[in-house]
Amino acid sequence: MKCPYNRKSEKHVQKWGQKPNDEGVVTSGVITDEWCFELAECEKENCGAYHNGRCCYASVSFENQ
């Protein structure tokens, strides 16, 4: 079982793209963010959110929100 709130690793990639016009002048640009998370294995009894044989963590979000 994977832990819903403890991440093993986190990777953030930021890319910048520019669009020049016919004269070579940059007229617009775009920044793209990409987040990748690798979830850790459940620690079960060693975790404060684990009670009565299950995970009781209520605020699960895989989108970092």
Side-chain angles (χ1 to χ4, degrees):
M1 174 169 44
K2 297 290 184 180
C3 178
Y5 76 104
N6 189 17
R7 296 180 181 130
K8 182 177 178 181
S9 66
E10 182 175 314
K11 179 180 167 185
H12 177 221
V13 177
Q14 192 172 50
K15 298 177 184 176
W16 169 253
Q18 296 178 331
K19 296 195 179 209
N21 62 15
D22 294 335
E23 296 151 3
V25 178
V26 175
T27 57
S28 65
V30 176
I31 295 175
T32 304
D33 288 306
E34 181 180 319
W35 293 89
C36 300
F37 303 104
E38 182 181 355
L39 299 177
E41 289 296 322
C42 177
E43 295 289 328
K44 300 196 184 224
E45 289 82 12
N46 296 325
C47 177
Y50 195 83
H51 303 287
N52 300 320
R54 65 184 188 92
C55 180
C56 297
Y57 188 74
S59 300
V60 176
S61 175
F62 294 108
E63 300 297 324
N64 199 29
Q65 298 175 355

